[in-house]
CSV table of all heavy atoms in Angstrom, one decimal:
chain,number,residue,atom,x,y,z
I,1746,SER,N,62.5,-56.7,-45.1
I,1746,SER,CA,61.1,-56.8,-45.2
I,1746,SER,C,60.4,-55.4,-45.0
I,1746,SER,O,60.6,-54.8,-43.9
I,1746,SER,CB,60.5,-57.8,-44.1
I,1746,SER,OG,59.1,-57.6,-44.1
I,1747,PRO,N,59.6,-55.0,-45.9
I,1747,PRO,CA,59.0,-53.6,-45.8
I,1747,PRO,C,58.1,-53.5,-44.6
I,1747,PRO,O,57.9,-52.4,-44.1
I,1747,PRO,CB,58.2,-53.5,-47.1
I,1747,PRO,CG,58.8,-54.5,-48.1
I,1747,PRO,CD,59.3,-55.6,-47.2
I,1748,LEU,N,57.6,-54.6,-44.1
I,1748,LEU,CA,56.7,-54.5,-42.9
I,1748,LEU,C,57.5,-54.5,-41.6
I,1748,LEU,O,56.9,-54.3,-40.6
I,1748,LEU,CB,55.7,-55.7,-42.9
I,1748,LEU,CG,54.6,-55.6,-44.0
I,1748,LEU,CD1,53.6,-56.7,-43.8
I,1748,LEU,CD2,53.9,-54.2,-43.9
I,1749,ASP,N,58.8,-54.6,-41.7
I,1749,ASP,CA,59.6,-54.5,-40.5
I,1749,ASP,C,59.8,-53.0,-40.2
I,1749,ASP,O,60.4,-52.3,-41.0
I,1749,ASP,CB,61.0,-55.2,-40.8
I,1749,ASP,CG,61.9,-55.2,-39.5
I,1749,ASP,OD1,61.7,-54.3,-38.7
I,1749,ASP,OD2,62.7,-56.1,-39.4
I,1750,LYS,N,59.4,-52.6,-39.0
I,1750,LYS,CA,59.4,-51.2,-38.7
I,1750,LYS,C,60.8,-50.6,-38.6
I,1750,LYS,O,61.0,-49.4,-38.6
I,1750,LYS,CB,58.7,-50.9,-37.4
I,1750,LYS,CG,57.2,-51.0,-37.6
I,1750,LYS,CD,56.4,-50.9,-36.3
I,1750,LYS,CE,55.8,-52.2,-36.0
I,1750,LYS,NZ,55.0,-52.2,-34.7
I,1751,ALA,N,61.8,-51.5,-38.4
I,1751,ALA,CA,63.2,-51.0,-38.3
I,1751,ALA,C,64.0,-51.1,-39.6
I,1751,ALA,O,65.3,-51.1,-39.5
I,1751,ALA,CB,63.9,-51.7,-37.1
I,1752,VAL,N,63.4,-51.1,-40.7
I,1752,VAL,CA,64.1,-51.3,-41.9
I,1752,VAL,C,64.1,-49.9,-42.7
I,1752,VAL,O,63.2,-49.1,-42.6
I,1752,VAL,CB,63.4,-52.4,-42.8
I,1752,VAL,CG1,63.3,-52.0,-44.2
I,1752,VAL,CG2,64.1,-53.7,-42.6
I,1753,ASP,N,65.3,-49.6,-43.3
I,1753,ASP,CA,65.4,-48.3,-44.0
I,1753,ASP,C,64.9,-48.4,-45.4
I,1753,ASP,O,64.3,-47.5,-45.9
I,1753,ASP,CB,66.9,-47.9,-44.0
I,1753,ASP,CG,67.4,-47.6,-42.7
I,1753,ASP,OD1,66.8,-46.7,-42.0
I,1753,ASP,OD2,68.4,-48.2,-42.3
I,1754,MET,N,65.2,-49.5,-46.0
I,1754,MET,CA,64.8,-49.7,-47.4
I,1754,MET,C,64.1,-51.0,-47.7
I,1754,MET,O,64.5,-52.0,-47.2
I,1754,MET,CB,66.0,-49.7,-48.4
I,1754,MET,CG,66.6,-48.3,-48.5
I,1754,MET,SD,68.2,-48.4,-49.3
I,1754,MET,CE,67.8,-49.2,-50.9
I,1755,GLY,N,63.0,-50.9,-48.4
I,1755,GLY,CA,62.2,-52.1,-48.7
I,1755,GLY,C,62.6,-52.7,-50.1
I,1755,GLY,O,63.8,-52.6,-50.5
I,1756,ALA,N,61.6,-53.2,-50.8
I,1756,ALA,CA,61.8,-53.9,-52.1
I,1756,ALA,C,61.6,-53.0,-53.3
I,1756,ALA,O,60.8,-52.0,-53.2
I,1756,ALA,CB,60.9,-55.1,-52.2
I,1757,ILE,N,62.2,-53.3,-54.4
I,1757,ILE,CA,62.0,-52.6,-55.7
I,1757,ILE,C,60.6,-53.2,-56.2
I,1757,ILE,O,60.2,-54.3,-56.0
I,1757,ILE,CB,63.1,-53.0,-56.7
I,1757,ILE,CG1,64.4,-52.6,-56.1
I,1757,ILE,CG2,62.8,-52.5,-58.0
I,1757,ILE,CD1,64.6,-51.1,-56.0
I,1758,VAL,N,59.8,-52.3,-56.8
I,1758,VAL,CA,58.4,-52.6,-57.1
I,1758,VAL,C,58.2,-53.9,-57.9
I,1758,VAL,O,57.2,-54.6,-57.6
I,1758,VAL,CB,57.7,-51.4,-57.8
I,1758,VAL,CG1,58.2,-51.3,-59.2
I,1758,VAL,CG2,56.2,-51.5,-57.7
I,1759,ALA,N,59.1,-54.2,-58.8
I,1759,ALA,CA,58.8,-55.4,-59.7
I,1759,ALA,C,60.0,-55.9,-60.3
I,1759,ALA,O,61.0,-55.1,-60.5
I,1759,ALA,CB,57.8,-55.0,-60.8
I,1760,PRO,N,60.1,-57.1,-60.7
I,1760,PRO,CA,61.3,-57.7,-61.3
I,1760,PRO,C,61.8,-56.9,-62.5
I,1760,PRO,O,63.0,-56.7,-62.7
I,1760,PRO,CB,60.8,-59.1,-61.7
I,1760,PRO,CG,59.7,-59.4,-60.8
I,1760,PRO,CD,59.0,-58.2,-60.5
I,1761,VAL,N,60.9,-56.4,-63.3
I,1761,VAL,CA,61.3,-55.7,-64.5
I,1761,VAL,C,62.1,-54.4,-64.1
I,1761,VAL,O,63.1,-54.0,-64.8
I,1761,VAL,CB,60.1,-55.4,-65.5
I,1761,VAL,CG1,59.0,-54.8,-64.7
I,1761,VAL,CG2,60.5,-54.4,-66.6
I,1762,GLN,N,61.7,-53.8,-63.0
I,1762,GLN,CA,62.4,-52.6,-62.6
I,1762,GLN,C,63.7,-52.9,-62.0
I,1762,GLN,O,64.7,-52.2,-62.2
I,1762,GLN,CB,61.5,-51.8,-61.6
I,1762,GLN,CG,60.3,-51.0,-62.2
I,1762,GLN,CD,60.8,-50.0,-63.2
I,1762,GLN,OE1,60.4,-50.1,-64.4
I,1762,GLN,NE2,61.5,-49.0,-62.8
I,1763,LEU,N,63.7,-54.1,-61.3
I,1763,LEU,CA,65.0,-54.6,-60.7
I,1763,LEU,C,66.0,-54.8,-61.9
I,1763,LEU,O,67.2,-54.4,-61.8
I,1763,LEU,CB,64.8,-55.8,-59.9
I,1763,LEU,CG,65.9,-56.4,-59.1
I,1763,LEU,CD1,66.4,-55.4,-58.1
I,1763,LEU,CD2,65.5,-57.7,-58.4
I,1764,GLU,N,65.5,-55.4,-62.9
I,1764,GLU,CA,66.4,-55.7,-64.0
I,1764,GLU,C,66.9,-54.5,-64.7
I,1764,GLU,O,68.1,-54.4,-65.1
I,1764,GLU,CB,65.6,-56.6,-65.1
I,1764,GLU,CG,65.6,-58.0,-64.8
I,1764,GLU,CD,67.0,-58.5,-64.2
I,1764,GLU,OE1,68.0,-58.4,-64.9
I,1764,GLU,OE2,67.0,-59.1,-63.1
I,1765,ARG,N,66.1,-53.5,-64.8
I,1765,ARG,CA,66.5,-52.2,-65.4
I,1765,ARG,C,67.6,-51.5,-64.5
I,1765,ARG,O,68.6,-51.0,-65.1
I,1765,ARG,CB,65.2,-51.3,-65.4
I,1765,ARG,CG,65.4,-50.0,-66.1
I,1765,ARG,CD,64.1,-49.2,-66.0
I,1765,ARG,NE,64.4,-47.8,-65.9
I,1765,ARG,CZ,64.6,-47.0,-66.9
I,1765,ARG,NH1,64.4,-47.4,-68.1
I,1765,ARG,NH2,65.0,-45.7,-66.8
I,1766,ILE,N,67.4,-51.6,-63.2
I,1766,ILE,CA,68.5,-51.0,-62.4
I,1766,ILE,C,69.8,-51.8,-62.5
I,1766,ILE,O,70.8,-51.2,-62.7
I,1766,ILE,CB,68.0,-51.1,-60.9
I,1766,ILE,CG1,66.8,-50.2,-60.7
I,1766,ILE,CG2,69.1,-50.6,-59.9
I,1766,ILE,CD1,66.0,-50.4,-59.4
I,1767,ARG,N,69.7,-53.1,-62.5
I,1767,ARG,CA,70.9,-53.9,-62.7
I,1767,ARG,C,71.6,-53.6,-64.0
I,1767,ARG,O,72.8,-53.5,-64.0
I,1767,ARG,CB,70.5,-55.4,-62.6
I,1767,ARG,CG,70.2,-55.9,-61.3
I,1767,ARG,CD,70.1,-57.4,-61.3
I,1767,ARG,NE,69.9,-57.9,-59.9
I,1767,ARG,CZ,69.0,-58.8,-59.6
I,1767,ARG,NH1,68.3,-59.4,-60.5
I,1767,ARG,NH2,68.8,-59.2,-58.4
I,1768,GLY,N,70.8,-53.5,-65.0
I,1768,GLY,CA,71.4,-53.2,-66.4
I,1768,GLY,C,72.1,-51.9,-66.4
I,1768,GLY,O,73.2,-51.8,-66.9
I,1769,LEU,N,71.5,-50.8,-65.8
I,1769,LEU,CA,72.1,-49.5,-65.8
I,1769,LEU,C,73.3,-49.5,-65.0
I,1769,LEU,O,74.3,-48.8,-65.3
I,1769,LEU,CB,71.1,-48.5,-65.4
I,1769,LEU,CG,70.1,-48.1,-66.5
I,1769,LEU,CD1,68.8,-47.4,-65.9
I,1769,LEU,CD2,70.7,-47.3,-67.6
I,1770,VAL,N,73.3,-50.2,-63.8
I,1770,VAL,CA,74.5,-50.2,-63.0
I,1770,VAL,C,75.6,-50.9,-63.7
I,1770,VAL,O,76.8,-50.4,-63.8
I,1770,VAL,CB,74.2,-50.9,-61.6
I,1770,VAL,CG1,75.5,-51.2,-60.9
I,1770,VAL,CG2,73.3,-50.0,-60.8
I,1771,GLN,N,75.3,-52.0,-64.4
I,1771,GLN,CA,76.3,-52.7,-65.2
I,1771,GLN,C,76.9,-51.8,-66.3
I,1771,GLN,O,78.1,-51.8,-66.5
I,1771,GLN,CB,75.6,-53.9,-65.9
I,1771,GLN,CG,76.6,-55.0,-66.4
I,1771,GLN,CD,77.7,-55.2,-65.4
I,1771,GLN,OE1,77.5,-55.5,-64.2
I,1771,GLN,NE2,79.0,-55.1,-65.9
I,1772,GLN,N,76.1,-51.0,-66.9
I,1772,GLN,CA,76.5,-50.1,-67.9
I,1772,GLN,C,77.5,-49.0,-67.3
I,1772,GLN,O,78.5,-48.7,-67.9
I,1772,GLN,CB,75.3,-49.4,-68.6
I,1772,GLN,CG,75.7,-48.6,-69.8
I,1772,GLN,CD,74.5,-48.5,-70.7
I,1772,GLN,OE1,73.5,-49.1,-70.5
I,1772,GLN,NE2,74.7,-47.7,-71.8
I,1773,GLY,N,77.1,-48.6,-66.1
I,1773,GLY,CA,78.0,-47.6,-65.4
I,1773,GLY,C,79.4,-48.2,-65.2
I,1773,GLY,O,80.4,-47.5,-65.5
I,1774,VAL,N,79.4,-49.4,-64.8
I,1774,VAL,CA,80.7,-50.1,-64.6
I,1774,VAL,C,81.5,-50.2,-65.9
I,1774,VAL,O,82.7,-49.9,-66.0
I,1774,VAL,CB,80.5,-51.4,-63.9
I,1774,VAL,CG1,81.8,-52.2,-63.8
I,1774,VAL,CG2,79.9,-51.3,-62.5
I,1775,SER,N,80.8,-50.6,-66.9
I,1775,SER,CA,81.5,-50.8,-68.2
I,1775,SER,C,81.9,-49.5,-68.8
I,1775,SER,O,82.8,-49.5,-69.6
I,1775,SER,CB,80.7,-51.8,-69.1
I,1775,SER,OG,79.5,-51.3,-69.3
I,1776,GLU,N,81.2,-48.4,-68.5
I,1776,GLU,CA,81.6,-47.1,-69.0
I,1776,GLU,C,82.8,-46.5,-68.2
I,1776,GLU,O,83.2,-45.4,-68.4
I,1776,GLU,CB,80.4,-46.2,-69.1
I,1776,GLU,CG,79.5,-46.5,-70.3
I,1776,GLU,CD,78.3,-45.6,-70.4
I,1776,GLU,OE1,78.3,-44.5,-69.7
I,1776,GLU,OE2,77.4,-45.9,-71.1
I,1777,GLY,N,83.2,-47.3,-67.1
I,1777,GLY,CA,84.4,-46.8,-66.4
I,1777,GLY,C,84.3,-46.2,-65.1
I,1777,GLY,O,85.2,-45.8,-64.5
I,1778,ALA,N,83.0,-46.1,-64.6
I,1778,ALA,CA,82.9,-45.4,-63.3
I,1778,ALA,C,83.2,-46.5,-62.2
I,1778,ALA,O,83.1,-47.7,-62.4
I,1778,ALA,CB,81.4,-44.9,-63.2
I,1779,THR,N,83.4,-45.9,-61.0
I,1779,THR,CA,83.7,-46.8,-59.9
I,1779,THR,C,82.5,-47.0,-59.0
I,1779,THR,O,81.9,-46.1,-58.6
I,1779,THR,CB,84.8,-46.2,-59.0
I,1779,THR,OG1,85.9,-45.8,-59.8
I,1779,THR,CG2,85.2,-47.1,-57.8
I,1780,MET,N,82.1,-48.3,-58.9
I,1780,MET,CA,80.9,-48.6,-58.2
I,1780,MET,C,81.2,-49.1,-56.7
I,1780,MET,O,82.2,-49.9,-56.5
I,1780,MET,CB,80.2,-49.7,-58.9
I,1780,MET,CG,78.7,-50.0,-58.6
I,1780,MET,SD,78.6,-51.3,-57.4
I,1780,MET,CE,78.6,-52.7,-58.6
I,1781,TRP,N,80.4,-48.7,-55.8
I,1781,TRP,CA,80.6,-49.1,-54.4
I,1781,TRP,C,79.3,-49.5,-53.8
I,1781,TRP,O,78.3,-48.8,-53.9
I,1781,TRP,CB,81.3,-48.0,-53.6
I,1781,TRP,CG,81.7,-48.4,-52.2
I,1781,TRP,CD1,83.0,-48.9,-51.9
I,1781,TRP,CD2,81.0,-48.5,-51.0
I,1781,TRP,NE1,83.1,-49.3,-50.6
I,1781,TRP,CE2,81.8,-49.0,-50.0
I,1781,TRP,CE3,79.7,-48.1,-50.7
I,1781,TRP,CZ2,81.4,-49.1,-48.7
I,1781,TRP,CZ3,79.3,-48.3,-49.3
I,1781,TRP,CH2,80.2,-48.8,-48.4
I,1782,GLN,N,79.3,-50.7,-53.1
I,1782,GLN,CA,78.1,-51.1,-52.4
I,1782,GLN,C,78.5,-51.6,-51.0
I,1782,GLN,O,79.7,-52.0,-50.8
I,1782,GLN,CB,77.4,-52.3,-53.1
I,1782,GLN,CG,76.7,-51.8,-54.4
I,1782,GLN,CD,76.1,-52.9,-55.2
I,1782,GLN,OE1,76.5,-54.1,-55.1
I,1782,GLN,NE2,75.2,-52.6,-56.1
I,1783,PRO,N,77.6,-51.5,-50.0
I,1783,PRO,CA,78.0,-51.9,-48.6
I,1783,PRO,C,78.4,-53.4,-48.6
I,1783,PRO,O,78.0,-54.2,-49.5
I,1783,PRO,CB,76.8,-51.7,-47.8
I,1783,PRO,CG,75.8,-51.0,-48.7
I,1783,PRO,CD,76.3,-51.0,-50.1
I,1784,SER,N,79.0,-53.8,-47.5
I,1784,SER,CA,79.5,-55.2,-47.5
I,1784,SER,C,78.4,-56.2,-47.2
I,1784,SER,O,78.6,-57.4,-47.5
I,1784,SER,CB,80.6,-55.3,-46.4
I,1784,SER,OG,80.0,-54.9,-45.1
I,1785,TRP,N,77.3,-55.8,-46.6
I,1785,TRP,CA,76.3,-56.8,-46.3
I,1785,TRP,C,75.4,-57.2,-47.5
I,1785,TRP,O,75.5,-56.5,-48.5
I,1785,TRP,CB,75.3,-56.2,-45.2
I,1785,TRP,CG,74.9,-54.8,-45.3
I,1785,TRP,CD1,75.5,-53.7,-44.7
I,1785,TRP,CD2,73.9,-54.3,-46.2
I,1785,TRP,NE1,74.9,-52.6,-45.2
I,1785,TRP,CE2,73.9,-52.9,-46.0
I,1785,TRP,CE3,73.0,-54.9,-47.1
I,1785,TRP,CZ2,73.0,-52.1,-46.7
I,1785,TRP,CZ3,72.1,-54.0,-47.8
I,1785,TRP,CH2,72.1,-52.7,-47.6
I,1786,ALA,N,74.7,-58.2,-47.4
I,1786,ALA,CA,73.9,-58.7,-48.5
I,1786,ALA,C,72.4,-58.5,-48.3
I,1786,ALA,O,71.9,-58.5,-47.2
I,1786,ALA,CB,74.2,-60.2,-48.7
I,1787,CYS,N,71.8,-58.3,-49.4
I,1787,CYS,CA,70.3,-58.1,-49.4
I,1787,CYS,C,69.6,-59.4,-49.3
I,1787,CYS,O,70.2,-60.5,-49.6
I,1787,CYS,CB,69.9,-57.5,-50.7
I,1787,CYS,SG,70.1,-55.7,-50.9
I,1788,PRO,N,68.4,-59.5,-48.8
I,1788,PRO,CA,67.6,-60.7,-48.9
I,1788,PRO,C,67.6,-61.2,-50.3
I,1788,PRO,O,67.5,-60.4,-51.2
I,1788,PRO,CB,66.2,-60.3,-48.4
I,1788,PRO,CG,66.4,-59.0,-47.7
I,1788,PRO,CD,67.6,-58.3,-48.3
I,1789,THR,N,67.6,-62.5,-50.5
I,1789,THR,CA,67.6,-63.0,-51.8
I,1789,THR,C,66.2,-63.3,-52.4
I,1789,THR,O,66.0,-63.4,-53.6
I,1789,THR,CB,68.5,-64.3,-51.9
I,1789,THR,OG1,68.1,-65.2,-50.8
I,1789,THR,CG2,69.9,-64.0,-51.8
I,1790,GLU,N,65.3,-63.5,-51.5
I,1790,GLU,CA,63.9,-63.7,-52.0
I,1790,GLU,C,63.3,-62.3,-52.2
I,1790,GLU,O,63.5,-61.4,-51.4
I,1790,GLU,CB,63.1,-64.4,-50.9
I,1790,GLU,CG,62.5,-65.8,-51.5
I,1790,GLU,CD,62.0,-66.6,-50.3
I,1790,GLU,OE1,61.0,-66.2,-49.7
I,1790,GLU,OE2,62.6,-67.6,-50.0
I,1791,GLY,N,62.5,-62.1,-53.2
I,1791,GLY,CA,61.9,-60.8,-53.4
I,1791,GLY,C,62.9,-59.9,-54.2
I,1791,GLY,O,64.0,-60.2,-54.5
I,1792,CYS,N,62.4,-58.7,-54.6
I,1792,CYS,CA,63.1,-57.8,-55.4
I,1792,CYS,C,63.9,-56.7,-54.6
I,1792,CYS,O,63.4,-55.6,-54.4
I,1792,CYS,CB,62.1,-57.0,-56.3
I,1792,CYS,SG,61.1,-58.1,-57.3
I,1793,PHE,N,65.1,-57.1,-54.2
I,1793,PHE,CA,65.9,-56.2,-53.4
I,1793,PHE,C,67.1,-55.7,-54.1
I,1793,PHE,O,67.7,-56.5,-54.9
I,1793,PHE,CB,66.2,-56.8,-52.0
I,1793,PHE,CG,65.0,-57.0,-51.1
I,1793,PHE,CD1,64.4,-58.2,-51.1
I,1793,PHE,CD2,64.5,-56.0,-50.3
I,1793,PHE,CE1,63.2,-58.4,-50.3
I,1793,PHE,CE2,63.4,-56.2,-49.5
I,1793,PHE,CZ,62.8,-57.4,-49.5
I,1794,TYR,N,67.5,-54.5,-53.8
I,1794,TYR,CA,68.7,-54.0,-54.4
I,1794,TYR,C,69.4,-53.1,-53.4
I,1794,TYR,O,68.8,-52.3,-52.8
I,1794,TYR,CB,68.4,-53.2,-55.7
I,1794,TYR,CG,69.7,-53.0,-56.6
I,1794,TYR,CD1,70.1,-54.0,-57.4
I,1794,TYR,CD2,70.5,-51.9,-56.4
I,1794,TYR,CE1,71.2,-53.9,-58.2
I,1794,TYR,CE2,71.7,-51.8,-57.2
I,1794,TYR,CZ,72.0,-52.8,-58.0
I,1794,TYR,OH,73.2,-52.7,-58.7
I,1795,PRO,N,70.7,-53.2,-53.3
I,1795,PRO,CA,71.4,-52.5,-52.2
I,1795,PRO,C,71.7,-51.0,-52.6
I,1795,PRO,O,71.7,-50.7,-53.8
I,1795,PRO,CB,72.8,-53.2,-52.1
I,1795,PRO,CG,73.0,-53.8,-53.4
I,1795,PRO,CD,71.6,-54.1,-54.0
I,1796,PRO,N,71.8,-50.1,-51.6
I,1796,PRO,CA,72.2,-48.8,-51.9
I,1796,PRO,C,73.6,-48.8,-52.6
I,1796,PRO,O,74.5,-49.6,-52.3
I,1796,PRO,CB,72.3,-48.1,-50.6
I,1796,PRO,CG,72.5,-49.2,-49.6
I,1796,PRO,CD,71.8,-50.4,-50.2
I,1797,THR,N,73.7,-48.0,-53.7
I,1797,THR,CA,74.9,-48.0,-54.5
I,1797,THR,C,75.4,-46.6,-54.8
I,1797,THR,O,74.6,-45.7,-55.0
I,1797,THR,CB,74.4,-48.7,-55.9
I,1797,THR,OG1,73.9,-50.0,-55.6
I,1797,THR,CG2,75.6,-48.8,-56.8
I,1798,LEU,N,76.7,-46.5,-54.8
I,1798,LEU,CA,77.4,-45.2,-55.0
I,1798,LEU,C,78.4,-45.3,-56.1
I,1798,LEU,O,79.3,-46.2,-56.1
I,1798,LEU,CB,78.0,-44.8,-53.7
I,1798,LEU,CG,78.8,-43.5,-53.7
I,1798,LEU,CD1,77.9,-42.3,-53.8
I,1798,LEU,CD2,79.6,-43.4,-52.4
I,1799,PHE,N,78.3,-44.4,-57.1
I,1799,PHE,CA,79.2,-44.3,-58.1
I,1799,PHE,C,80.1,-43.1,-58.0
I,1799,PHE,O,79.6,-42.0,-57.7
I,1799,PHE,CB,78.5,-44.2,-59.5
I,1799,PHE,CG,78.2,-45.6,-60.1
I,1799,PHE,CD1,76.9,-46.0,-60.1
I,1799,PHE,CD2,79.2,-46.3,-60.7
I,1799,PHE,CE1,76.6,-47.2,-60.7
I,1799,PHE,CE2,78.9,-47.5,-61.3
I,1799,PHE,CZ,77.6,-48.0,-61.3
I,1800,THR,N,81.4,-43.3,-58.1
I,1800,THR,CA,82.3,-42.2,-58.2
I,1800,THR,C,83.1,-42.3,-59.6
I,1800,THR,O,82.8,-43.2,-60.3
I,1800,THR,CB,83.3,-42.1,-57.1
I,1800,THR,OG1,83.9,-43.5,-56.9
I,1800,THR,CG2,82.7,-41.8,-55.7
I,1801,ASP,N,83.9,-41.3,-59.9
I,1801,ASP,CA,84.6,-41.2,-61.2
I,1801,ASP,C,83.6,-41.3,-62.3
I,1801,ASP,O,83.8,-42.1,-63.2
I,1801,ASP,CB,85.6,-42.4,-61.3
I,1801,ASP,CG,86.6,-42.4,-60.1
I,1801,ASP,OD1,87.1,-41.4,-59.7
I,1801,ASP,OD2,86.8,-43.5,-59.6
I,1802,VAL,N,82.6,-40.5,-62.2
I,1802,VAL,CA,81.5,-40.5,-63.3
I,1802,VAL,C,81.7,-39.3,-64.2
I,1802,VAL,O,81.9,-38.2,-63.8
I,1802,VAL,CB,80.1,-40.4,-62.6
I,1802,VAL,CG1,79.0,-40.3,-63.6
I,1802,VAL,CG2,79.9,-41.5,-61.6
I,1803,GLN,N,81.7,-39.6,-65.5
I,1803,GLN,CA,81.7,-38.6,-66.5
I,1803,GLN,C,80.3,-37.9,-66.7
I,1803,GLN,O,79.4,-38.7,-66.8
I,1803,GLN,CB,82.1,-39.2,-67.9
I,1803,GLN,CG,83.6,-39.7,-67.9
I,1803,GLN,CD,84.6,-38.6,-67.6
I,1803,GLN,OE1,84.5,-37.5,-68.1
I,1803,GLN,NE2,85.5,-38.9,-66.7
I,1804,PRO,N,80.3,-36.6,-66.8
I,1804,PRO,CA,79.0,-36.0,-66.9
I,1804,PRO,C,78.1,-36.5,-68.1
I,1804,PRO,O,76.9,-36.4,-68.1
I,1804,PRO,CB,79.3,-34.5,-67.1
I,1804,PRO,CG,80.6,-34.3,-66.5
I,1804,PRO,CD,81.4,-35.6,-66.6
I,1805,SER,N,78.8,-37.0,-69.1
I,1805,SER,CA,78.1,-37.4,-70.3
I,1805,SER,C,77.7,-38.9,-70.3
I,1805,SER,O,77.1,-39.4,-71.2
I,1805,SER,CB,78.9,-37.1,-71.5
I,1805,SER,OG,80.2,-37.8,-71.4
I,1806,SER,N,78.2,-39.6,-69.2
I,1806,SER,CA,78.0,-41.1,-69.2
I,1806,SER,C,76.5,-41.4,-69.0
I,1806,SER,O,75.7,-40.6,-68.5
I,1806,SER,CB,78.8,-41.7,-68.1
I,1806,SER,OG,78.4,-41.2,-66.9
I,1807,THR,N,76.1,-42.6,-69.4
I,1807,THR,CA,74.7,-43.0,-69.3
I,1807,THR,C,74.2,-42.8,-67.9
I,1807,THR,O,73.1,-42.3,-67.7
I,1807,THR,CB,74.6,-44.5,-69.7
I,1807,THR,OG1,75.2,-44.7,-70.9
I,1807,THR,CG2,73.2,-44.9,-69.8
I,1808,ILE,N,74.9,-43.3,-66.9
I,1808,ILE,CA,74.4,-43.2,-65.5
I,1808,ILE,C,74.3,-41.8,-65.0
I,1808,ILE,O,73.5,-41.5,-64.0
I,1808,ILE,CB,75.2,-44.1,-64.5
I,1808,ILE,CG1,76.7,-43.7,-64.6
I,1808,ILE,CG2,74.9,-45.6,-64.7
I,1808,ILE,CD1,77.5,-44.3,-63.4
Side-chain angles (χ1 to χ4, degrees):
S1746 166
L1748 288 184
D1749 186 331
K1750 286 175 249 180
V1752 139
D1753 295 304
M1754 285 169 57
I1757 300 297
V1758 72
V1761 48
Q1762 287 299 119
L1763 186 60
E1764 277 320 303
R1765 190 185 142 84
I1766 296 165
R1767 285 190 178 137
L1769 283 164
V1770 167
Q1771 196 43 53
Q1772 189 155 354
V1774 172
S1775 55
E1776 285 179 14
T1779 305
M1780 195 263 277
W1781 191 90
Q1782 291 174 336
S1784 60
W1785 44 261
C1787 282
T1789 46
E1790 241 167 67
C1792 303
F1793 292 94
Y1794 198 83
T1797 301
L1798 178 68
F1799 271 106
T1800 48
D1801 307 315
V1802 178
Q1803 292 301 316
S1805 59
S1806 64
T1807 308
I1808 51 170

